[in-house]
Amino acid sequence: LVSCVKWNKTLFLYIGEIHCFQFIQDCLVAEGISQISFEVTIYHQRKKTDKEMGFYAYVIVKKKPYMNCKWCDLSLFIIIIIKYKKGLVSYMSRYEKLLEVRKLHKYYSKDVVSTKALNGISFDVLKGEYLGIMGASGSGKTTLLNCIATVIKPTSGQILLSGVDISSFDGTKLSEYRGNKIGYLFQDFALLDNLTGKENILLPLSIHNVAMVTAEKKLNEIASFLGITDVLSKLPSQMSGGQKQRVAAARCLISDPDIILADEPTGALDTKAARLLMEKLSEINQKEKHTILMVTHDPNAASFCSRILFIQDGVIFHELRRNIFEETREDFYSRILQVMAQLGGGSANVL
């Protein structure tokens, strides 16, 4: 795969149905470039010989990143070829579906009254994505997260992690899933009061019998990154709210999970501590490529996400994607507020 950021060769992709614009954005971010403006025009033609469909996307660069590139000077665009062959699709790892939620229902019954918390919701979480889930209280956000975390069982539907249905897990497989495949970040920290910060963070590794040398190395790296080295010897009662949440985040990350589930992570924090935590989570997503699924009421916290699903009455009401090139986080925040206002006006007012 030729690096598209050099603009000097044709980029060939044997790839399936992806959003070309989003793909190019992700390639640029991966190369550390985030201030390039471009437009995409796509056309296609059929080849009768091998029944392939060739899609050609002309990416017109508004600002040349490499002024000394002769190819770029001559053409000012990249050609991306996306081929379909006999209906078979091969996805790049960047567009792998890490988590798939399919027609998920969850009903709560009391006496003869049944309440629908989730009403057939379906969506995908891509590998390396930072996805936010928003909605009013009672919309099903936390229920959804708890179903994914196997805290509760859905009434019907499927949840697949890397293509495997988690409802089939029991015993050792379920323990492996909870301990190593997912990391859960709680709103109320969920730290054990009689353990120090260090002991709380190392607890998941201790349960799974990870060697102390390996555990200590991971601990030092994560504690340094999150800025909590000075509180490792303290009990939770001796920490501030922000410190507790960062210790909880370290515990969540220590087992290197496939996906981080964050339930209102800023809900118990002040503005400064909340911003610091969100910046760290964003850095974890962008630099370490951790996949994050975050439930939040806070539009400011949600503005750090790359995509947001809005839930109403147990179904998806609206979806927002951030344009990382044309849109600042402040602009994305404003769009989030607009959708939140529509959430109060009913599903007929989808933007």
Side-chain angles (χ1 to χ4, degrees), residues 89-146:
V89 177
S90 176
Y91 285 92
M92 291 182 62
S93 61
R94 186 182 302 278
Y95 285 90
E96 287 179 1
K97 295 177 183 178
L98 177 63
L99 184 73
E100 300 171 66
V101 176
R102 294 287 175 264
K103 298 181 180 178
L104 205 66
H105 293 82
K106 178 59 181 178
Y107 303 155
Y108 293 100
S109 298
K110 186 176 182 181
D111 299 327
V112 294
V113 179
S114 180
T115 302
K116 295 180 180 180
L118 297 174
N119 194 21
I121 190 169
S122 297
F123 65 92
D124 298 325
V125 181
L126 303 181
K127 190 174 182 180
E129 189 173 22
Y130 193 166
L131 177 63
I133 304 288
M134 299 192 75
S137 296
S139 60
K141 304 186 305 299
T142 299
T143 298
L144 172 63
L145 211 62
N146 285 338

Side-chain angles (χ1 to χ4, degrees), residues 283-340:
E283 193 172 347
I284 288 166
N285 170 252
Q286 293 176 12
K287 292 187 176 181
E288 303 299 326
K289 306 304 179 185
H290 278 289
T291 305
I292 301 176
L293 176 59
M294 179 179 69
V295 162
T296 183
H297 283 97
D298 182 7
N300 187 55
S303 67
F304 284 87
C305 299
S306 57
R307 181 164 67 106
I308 301 173
L309 299 179
F310 294 85
I311 296 180
Q312 186 177 57
D313 301 326
V315 296
I316 294 176
F317 167 85
H318 191 65
E319 176 179 345
L320 280 184
R321 292 176 181 267
R322 182 182 173 191
N323 184 336
I324 59 175
F325 293 99
E326 304 292 340
E327 190 173 38
T328 65
R329 194 173 64 81
E330 290 73 19
D331 291 337
F332 192 42
Y333 172 80
S334 297
R335 284 210 291 146
I336 293 169
L337 291 180
Q338 291 178 32
V339 178
M340 289 179 71

Side-chain angles (χ1 to χ4, degrees), residues 136-179:
S137 296
S139 60
K141 304 186 305 299
T142 299
T143 298
L144 172 63
L145 211 62
N146 285 338
C147 286
I148 295 170
T150 67
V151 174
I152 58 177
K153 287 187 176 182
T155 304
S156 64
Q158 285 186 312
I159 301 171
L160 294 88
L161 185 74
S162 300
V164 180
D165 190 347
I166 67 172
S167 65
S168 64
F169 294 162
D170 57 7
T172 303
K173 286 187 176 181
L174 185 58
S175 177
E176 170 71 14
Y177 174 78
R178 290 172 174 170

